Amino acid sequence: MRHVHSLSWDNDRVQDELITWQIAKDCGNTPIRKGGAKGFKKAIAALEEQGLGESLLVGTVWAFKASKPWP
């Protein structure tokens, strides 16, 4: 979860790019990749539930955009 959030929120500001599973996978380590797309979807749902951002369905792809920094 923190990995996905950190890709969207870096250096105390939100990034312009929506974070998709492909971006998280490409920038992640083995445990991130092993979580798969289902794990990514669960992580972004949990981040949204905690009020740290929003999960968006862009076409057929789930994405995440942070709205505030990691606590």
Side-chain angles (χ1 to χ4, degrees):
M1 256 182 7
R2 188 177 184 122
H3 168 69
V4 173
H5 184 273
S6 71
L7 292 172
S8 184
W9 189 282
D10 190 31
N11 296 326
D12 294 326
R13 69 179 189 88
V14 69
Q15 302 299 304
D16 295 331
E17 187 174 25
L18 292 173
I19 304 305
T20 62
W21 161 238
Q22 189 65 48
I23 293 168
K25 182 178 81 169
D26 290 348
C27 297
N29 55 20
T30 301
I32 298 296
R33 290 190 295 274
K34 284 186 177 181
K38 287 182 182 180
F40 174 78
K41 187 176 175 186
K42 287 179 186 177
I44 64 174
L47 287 167
E48 183 174 41
E49 203 171 280
Q50 294 176 19
L52 295 172
E54 60 182 322
S55 55
L56 308 160
L57 185 59
V58 182
T60 60
V61 177
W62 283 99
F64 176 75
K65 181 133 181 120
S67 59
K68 60 184 181 180
W70 187 265

